[in-house]
Amino acid sequence: MATGEGTVRLRPPRNAPARRAVGWWRVRCLLLTAAPVAVLGVLGALITPARPWLLVPAAVLAAVGLSVTVLLPLWWFRTHRWEVTDEAVYVRTGVFLREWRIAPMSRIQTVDTVRGPLEQLFGLATVTVTTASAKGAVKIEGLGHETAADLAERLTRITQDTPGDAT
């Protein structure tokens, strides 16, 4: 990609999510694991003939789920990055399938800040940057609440000062 004036280059974003995002991700993984393990465990306790066929998968799922809950959020924290410049929003996500997204300021349509119940518990928020892209919105997850509010305000200010893209 050429690097003339006004050109946005693909480069690694500099900022990591808030450190407490690891706890938020762990709780999400734990909840996703606990639901099917609980269902299998209850059914195994109630249906005697099927007990081994239900409790063994519950135990395996619990072990795998706990491993994922401990390790995957740390890996996410090491790989998820974001950055905002006067020209673009850069986001890199993914562990196995790495995705790099760039949203030029001239293409941004809306900026939203979302705080779900678990995010509120951890003092976190997600900033969603909606563009004209068919790929969908760019999300920056795991930000501290104040960082997210400041970022949304900054993005709004920059996009208001940026002329639209006529391409």
Side-chain angles (χ1 to χ4, degrees):
M1 179 179 272
T3 58
E5 188 168 324
T7 302
V8 179
R9 288 183 335 117
L10 182 64
R11 61 181 182 72
R14 294 189 179 115
N15 304 312
R19 184 73 179 145
R20 58 188 179 272
V22 172
W24 172 55
W25 289 325
R26 281 190 172 142
V27 169
R28 286 179 26 188
C29 288
L30 193 58
L31 290 173
L32 286 172
T33 299
V37 168
V39 168
L40 289 170
V42 168
L43 289 174
L46 296 176
I47 306 171
T48 306
R51 189 167 287 151
W53 301 106
L54 295 169
L55 295 182
V56 170
V60 170
L61 183 58
V64 170
L66 286 175
S67 298
V68 166
T69 297
V70 169
L71 299 175
L72 200 55
L74 291 172
W75 200 357
W76 286 337
F77 183 77
R78 291 182 61 188
T79 58
H80 284 57
R81 293 290 180 264
W82 66 275
E83 186 175 354
V84 173
T85 66
D86 288 342
E87 294 80 33
V89 176
Y90 298 83
V91 177
R92 182 184 74 192
T93 59
V95 174
F96 300 109
L97 179 63
R98 185 71 52 99
E99 182 178 46
W100 295 56
R101 305 265 320 262
I102 299 175
M105 291 298 172
S106 62
R107 306 290 277 184
I108 294 175
Q109 296 176 335
T110 62
V111 178
D112 301 303
T113 303
V114 177
R115 295 184 73 204
L118 282 178
E119 285 175 301
Q120 290 179 41
L121 183 67
F122 284 90
L124 299 171
T126 297
V127 172
T128 303
V129 178
T130 306
T131 67
S133 169
K135 181 73 174 165
V138 174
K139 290 187 178 191
I140 306 172
E141 292 185 332
L143 299 178
H145 173 64
E146 289 183 16
T147 302
D150 292 345
L151 180 59
E153 183 180 320
R154 180 176 175 218
L155 283 169
T156 301
R157 192 175 51 254
I158 293 171
T159 55
Q160 285 176 344
D161 295 340
T162 303
D165 190 5
T167 58

